């Protein structure tokens, strides 16, 4: 009976260690995802600034900014 109890305890210890390892891996993955999200948000903010600058530049020269996208759409449809 004592041997069965020891085996059960060892199994419980093993499960706890496996659980801790899985939790650590999940935490590492979460950190990676959060960093990627932050990097993507930073890139989006940069490209939004570029977009705004181009829009202002086009307006300054009297070119409708939307016309740039219309020509791209037409090129895509031709493919």
């Amino acid at each position: 009976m004592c041997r069965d109890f020891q085996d059960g305890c060892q199994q419980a210890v093993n499960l706890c260690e496996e659980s801790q390892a899985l939790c650590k891996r999940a935490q590492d993955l979460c950190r990676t995802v959060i960093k990627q999200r932050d990097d993507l948000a930073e890139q989006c903010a940069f490209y939004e600034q570029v977009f705004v600058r181009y829009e202002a530049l086009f307006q300054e020269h009297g070119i409708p900014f939307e016309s740039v996208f219309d020509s791209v759409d037409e090129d895509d449809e031709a493919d």
Side-chain angles (χ1 to χ4, degrees):
M1 183 166 149
C2 211
R3 181 73 177 143
D4 290 340
F5 180 75
Q6 286 176 333
D7 288 345
C9 283
Q10 187 58 49
Q11 287 177 352
V13 167
N14 291 344
L15 287 173
C16 278
E17 289 172 354
E18 288 176 33
S19 177
Q20 287 174 335
L22 288 172
C23 282
K24 184 182 179 328
R25 178 70 178 138
Q27 287 173 332
D28 291 345
L29 288 171
C30 284
R31 283 189 204 97
T32 299
V33 167
I34 289 168
K35 181 174 180 352
Q36 289 175 346
R37 181 205 62 198
D38 292 346
D39 290 348
L40 184 59
E42 187 177 311
Q43 289 175 6
C44 286
F46 170 78
Y47 284 111
E48 183 177 4
Q49 290 175 355
V50 169
F51 183 86
V52 168
R53 288 180 188 156
Y54 274 111
E55 186 176 26
L57 184 63
F58 273 70
Q59 286 177 356
E60 183 180 313
H61 292 284
I63 302 169
F65 192 56
E66 294 78 21
S67 67
V68 175
F69 299 106
D70 292 342
S71 65
V72 170
D73 291 343
E74 290 169 7
D75 290 344
D76 288 344
E77 289 173 8
D79 292 340

